[in-house]
Amino acid sequence: MATSWTATPERWVTIDHSALAHNIDTIARWVKPAQVMAVVKADGYGHGAVEVAQTAVAAGATWLGTAHVREALALREAGITAPLVAWLHTINTPFEAAVAQNIDLGVSGPEIESVADAARASDLPARIHLKIDTGLSRNGAVPEEWDALCRRASELQQSGIVRVVGVFTHFAVADDPVGESDVDEQLRVYHEAVETARKHGLTVDVRHVANSPALLSRPDTHLDMVRAGVAIYGLSPFADRTAEDLGLRPVMSFGTTVAHNKPADEGTGVSYGYSYRVQKPTRLALIPCGYADGVPRIAEGAPVWIDGQRYRVTGRIAMDQFVVDLHTDREDDATAPVGTTVELFGAKSGIASDAWAQACGSINYEIVTRIGARVPRVHQQWV
Ligand SMILES: *Cc1c(COP(=O)(O)O)cnc(C)c1O
């Protein structure tokens, strides 16, 4: 994280913990009696994993989830003791540390032997969640492999080496109404897989399948626990529904101040490649955020808020900065002098990260997750 030499950072991402707590509480009420796992992988979708985890747990999340064991270990090092699951492993995953730190492991297949070795070495049972691939085709055992995986897990459980806590899967198209029948089919395969696990003597206490789109649109996916990612950050996983429609509050705002302001005559080329030329005399404001800060280079035309007025990115976004034409296409004579507050998206402007996603053919998940390490996160306490 960037070090700032003055109390006020030059660029900032603010993290509104009241909004985060509100979202957790909203989701917890909605899915009750199912439990909520707050998914804090990828540094809490760019919001700060430790801070998000602390507030999420205080606000009612009873589990935490990460992709990698190393992400989970960092949470344990920060003193977070809540139940924690990590599910994406490689031959270099530190399973022994995971077992020693009481981190639950998603298990998709042959890595169960490495997990068992780690448990033997630590002299502690490994807590595992068996994953069935019901159609996403990422990790998880395919149905043909499932019976064998359950049999092996059951053997290891009987020898006290593993403890099977749950069975889970992940949806492919829960964010799209046309995916309704695909969700139905994945659920059907999942429920069969749970039956198989039970036939092998596994109790399967925690059945979990729902990501944000599923938990928000399909109550039949709530089961014992939901894995809530993007929704806890106050973002909508749906193309046709806003966060507000869902009763969620965006947690992240991304801001800075105008770094430079100058006049420009008609015909002036703006930024690399001159993809934009000034059409009539105007002023140009320089915004000191670029693709190194996570402002996507292809987001030309995305909205920008400067002291209450909306503008658009004009010309190429560079590594450190981009330019805004202050007067072309506008009737007002707002001046935006150096030092004026700027917001790319967030609470002041009401601009959603979705607008930036739209400008570059992506999704809000990617916009917030890729904000660079050069931008300090400023955490606003939950009040
Ligand atoms: C990232 C992830 C989630 C959370 O997904 P959202 O759509 O952000 O809610 C849930 N489960 C798994 C397995 C994931 O990898």
Side-chain angles (χ1 to χ4, degrees):
M1 197 159 291
T3 305
S4 53
W5 295 93
T6 59
T8 309
E10 294 176 275
R11 299 91 48 70
W12 54 83
V13 154
T14 56
I15 306 300
D16 178 351
H17 284 254
S18 300
L20 176 62
H22 163 86
N23 298 333
I24 295 276
D25 183 60
T26 302
I27 293 163
R29 285 167 197 268
W30 170 248
V31 305
K32 214 174 157 191
Q35 301 187 70
V36 177
M37 171 195 288
V39 178
V40 298
K41 63 191 180 189
D43 198 24
Y45 290 42
H47 295 63
V50 169
E51 292 87 349
V52 167
Q54 285 164 339
T55 296
V57 168
T62 49
W63 287 74
L64 297 168
T66 62
H68 301 287
V69 163
R70 283 180 169 83
E71 296 179 293
L73 288 169
L75 296 174
R76 286 284 184 257
E77 264 163 44
I80 291 164
T81 56
L84 184 43
V85 189
W87 50 72
L88 179 57
H89 316 305
T90 69
I91 55 164
N92 297 315
T93 298
F95 288 125
E96 238 185 277
V99 173
Q101 292 299 319
N102 200 26
I103 292 162
D104 291 19
L105 297 163
V107 168
S108 297
E111 80 272 25
I112 197 167
E113 302 306 335
S114 309
V115 171
D117 289 343
R120 290 186 199 97
S122 319
D123 219 7
L124 286 167
R127 292 169 47 94
I128 66 175
H129 300 236
L130 297 176
K131 186 168 189 188
I132 170 92
D133 176 8
T134 57
L136 180 60
S137 303
R138 300 197 321 199
N139 64 10
V142 292
E144 301 77 73
E145 301 167 335
W146 183 248
D147 191 68
L149 180 60
C150 290
R151 177 174 306 117
R152 183 66 182 135
S154 176
E155 275 167 25
L156 289 166
Q157 177 158 295
Q158 273 159 34
S159 2
I161 292 164
V162 307
R163 156 103 175 81
V164 177
V165 177
V167 168
F168 74 119
T169 193
H170 197 40
F171 291 119
V173 282
D175 57 333
D176 188 338
V178 306
E180 192 85 357
S181 62
D182 294 313
V183 172
D184 291 340
E185 175 59 11
Q186 285 195 260
L187 260 183
R188 187 190 65 72
V189 176
Y190 175 79
H191 285 301
E192 258 180 40
V194 170
E195 276 318 299
T196 303
R198 286 184 170 147
K199 279 190 196 129
H200 282 279
L202 303 169
T203 50
V204 193
D205 296 330
V206 191
R207 295 164 304 152
H208 51 106
V209 301
N211 55 0
S212 294
L215 80 89
L216 292 165
S217 65
R218 292 282 302 246
D220 58 335
T221 65
H222 293 171
L223 307 183
D224 302 311
M225 175 167 78
V226 300
R227 300 188 305 270
V230 86
I232 74 170
Y233 304 99
L235 304 177
S236 170
F238 305 113
D240 59 350
R241 271 180 285 173
T242 65
E244 201 179 352
D245 294 340
L246 300 168
L248 302 171
R249 287 166 46 191
V251 172
M252 181 189 284
S253 300
F254 184 8
T256 184
T257 58
V258 172
H260 194 77
N261 178 309
K262 65 169 53 151
D265 288 333
E266 183 184 332
T268 303
V270 174
S271 193
Y272 294 132
Y274 287 165
S275 66
Y276 181 78
R277 274 182 196 278
V278 170
Q279 301 297 309
K280 62 182 191 194
T282 186
R283 294 193 73 88
L284 301 175
L286 183 66
I287 314 303
C289 300
Y291 58 78
D293 305 300
V295 182
R297 183 173 176 275
I298 55 164
E300 246 171 86
V304 186
W305 178 99
I306 308 178
D307 190 27
Q309 309 288 327
R310 283 223 195 176
Y311 304 88
R312 300 207 157 271
V313 173
T314 36
R316 291 268 160 80
I317 293 168
M319 187 182 292
D320 311 307
Q321 49 202 302
F322 65 84
V323 175
V324 169
D325 179 329
L326 292 171
H327 297 313
T328 305
D329 302 332
R330 304 174 59 91
E331 293 311 316
D332 66 73
D333 57 355
T335 50
V338 168
T340 306
T341 303
V342 176
E343 202 175 76
L344 285 77
F345 57 85
K348 278 201 183 74
S349 60
I351 297 172
S353 51
D354 307 61
W356 279 84
Q358 229 156 44
C360 51
S362 184
I363 52 175
N364 50 16
Y365 290 72
E366 186 175 5
I367 299 297
V368 296
T369 302
R370 296 186 71 172
I371 302 295
R374 194 165 66 171
V375 183
R377 272 60 171 174
V378 177
H379 291 274
Q380 298 173 326
Q381 288 315 301
W382 173 17
V383 287

